[in-house]
Amino acid sequence: MTTPPGSRPRMLVAGVGNIFLADDAFGPHVVRALASRPLPAAVRVRDFGIRGLDLAYELLYGYDTAVLVDAAPRGHRPGTLSLIEPDPPDATTAAAAPPEAHGMDPAKVLALAAHLGDGPLPRVLVLACEPDVLPRADEDIMPGLSGPVGAAVDRAVRALHTIVPVLLADPAATPCLGRPDESAPPYTAALPLPAAGTAQDR
């Protein structure tokens, strides 16, 4: 949805991933699905693909919060959604961040954004989907989502419509993904496999 003239978007929803590498395209597919089910006007929705440098600069725009939508192997059933809050980069990591114009590792993007900017970054959450098919970047092109991940796209859209209003009302809130058993706090980490009971999954 277009932001009204004179108002600043308060939240970024960013689809990330390579559309030619099977389930890595989850984030771009979710952003495409949001076109027919737009989020509130205070939210800027963009597909960044694998343009990590562009996303790093976008994170300096002054948002209160940012939600990255991505495929991330975490040891769950394929198609499982998790809400993750990565640790903010420390000063050493940020200073050493290389400028990756065509890389989309969320941890590296956050470190690069911290290196490029002078002020604080927005609070960043990752809406992650467990992939079923995730070829390496040096393998053959494999467009198209697997069945479980394709089915998760609509659930991710519904999840965003649940958590975005919560974050707009209170950027420090702990949103859930919509079920009673998903009300635990987001797992705080640099996206490794979670310890039992520490993530919101569905």
Side-chain angles (χ1 to χ4, degrees):
M1 180 175 288
T2 304
T3 304
S7 64
R8 177 181 64 85
R10 294 167 45 212
M11 181 186 299
L12 173 69
V13 171
V16 300
N18 191 325
I19 61 172
F20 298 112
L21 292 181
D23 289 343
D24 197 48
F26 174 73
H29 276 268
V30 172
V31 167
R32 187 180 307 164
L34 283 169
S36 60
R37 294 183 59 187
L39 293 168
V43 182
R44 175 174 288 171
V45 179
R46 288 191 60 188
D47 174 12
F48 285 88
I50 57 172
R51 302 188 311 277
L53 186 59
D54 288 352
L55 177 55
Y57 275 113
E58 187 72 21
L59 290 172
L60 306 180
Y61 186 79
Y63 300 105
D64 297 325
T65 52
V67 179
L68 312 186
V69 185
D70 193 15
R74 295 171 54 75
H76 299 301
R77 286 189 324 275
T80 298
L81 299 179
S82 302
L83 188 63
I84 310 159
E85 183 163 10
D87 285 326
D90 58 36
T92 302
T93 304
E100 289 192 2
H102 299 289
M104 194 49 92
D105 179 322
K108 289 184 179 179
V109 169
L110 292 179
L112 179 57
H115 176 67
L116 293 171
D118 297 325
L121 295 178
R123 181 189 183 198
V124 175
L125 298 171
V126 179
L127 179 58
C129 181
E130 184 73 29
D132 189 28
V133 179
L134 198 62
R136 297 188 304 270
D138 59 351
E139 292 182 337
D140 290 339
I141 290 174
M142 191 182 296
L145 300 178
S146 66
V149 173
V153 170
D154 185 63
R155 289 189 288 114
V157 170
R158 295 199 306 269
L160 286 167
H161 277 274
T162 297
I163 66 178
V164 163
V166 175
L167 291 170
L168 286 175
D170 179 5
T174 301
C176 67
L177 294 181
R179 294 180 182 178
D181 60 347
E182 293 167 351
S183 58
Y187 179 62
T188 302
L191 307 184
L193 295 178
T198 56
Q200 296 179 28
D201 303 318
R202 62 181 297 179

